[in-house]
Amino acid sequence: MTPSPYAPPTNASDEEQPPGFDGDPLDNPRFLVWTLRVVTLLLIPLGLLGSLGAFALLTGDPENPEAYEVIIAPVYAWLFSIPVLIVCLLVYRKCRRDISLADKLWFSTCSVLPTAALVVAIVASVVRY
């Protein structure tokens, strides 16, 4: 005889247990979200490095013949950020339904930093030199 689904559970073993994740660890949304958070932390120093290069271009002496070398920092920071962005986009695509709004904003902000620094550095070098 099976118990009625409308009757309250009689003991702790009859209660439904929360479903655990038994699949592939690379499909675990919790693991993917933490991977996205950690990988986007790599974009912050690259964005700051590019921003420092852009700041040096904006505040540097336009008569200095070696000032063109400062654009190397934003360009290389952006180039190094491309593989990190590709990994982030793949992980984001896999877990976009399970990600919170705060994590979406975190990813968007961190991914824009190196590209924004490069754009500012290119505009500063065109305007100043």
Side-chain angles (χ1 to χ4, degrees):
M1 185 164 173
T2 60
S4 170
Y6 302 109
T10 56
N11 59 19
S13 65
D14 291 341
E15 293 178 13
E16 283 190 31
Q17 298 294 328
F21 188 80
D22 294 329
D24 185 13
L26 294 178
D27 289 334
N28 189 346
R30 189 169 186 196
F31 175 74
L32 290 173
V33 169
W34 278 103
T35 302
L36 183 68
R37 289 175 185 167
V38 170
V39 172
T40 52
L41 285 176
L42 296 173
L43 293 172
I44 294 173
L46 291 172
L48 291 177
L49 176 67
S51 299
L52 287 175
F55 179 75
L57 279 170
L58 286 171
T59 60
D61 184 18
E63 303 300 322
N64 186 359
E66 297 166 356
Y68 70 92
E69 295 176 357
V70 178
I71 193 123
I72 291 174
V75 170
Y76 279 126
W78 184 74
L79 287 176
F80 289 144
S81 71
I82 289 175
V84 177
L85 282 171
I86 290 171
V87 169
C88 288
L89 286 173
L90 291 174
V91 172
Y92 180 79
R93 183 175 168 224
K94 193 161 183 123
C95 67
R96 69 178 156 220
R97 288 183 302 250
D98 302 320
I99 196 168
S100 68
L101 179 63
D103 286 329
K104 287 179 183 178
L105 291 174
W106 172 260
F107 169 70
S108 300
T109 304
C110 291
S111 62
V112 167
L113 285 175
T115 306
L118 178 68
V119 169
V120 169
I122 289 173
V123 169
S125 63
V126 166
V127 169
R128 289 190 51 98
Y129 300 106

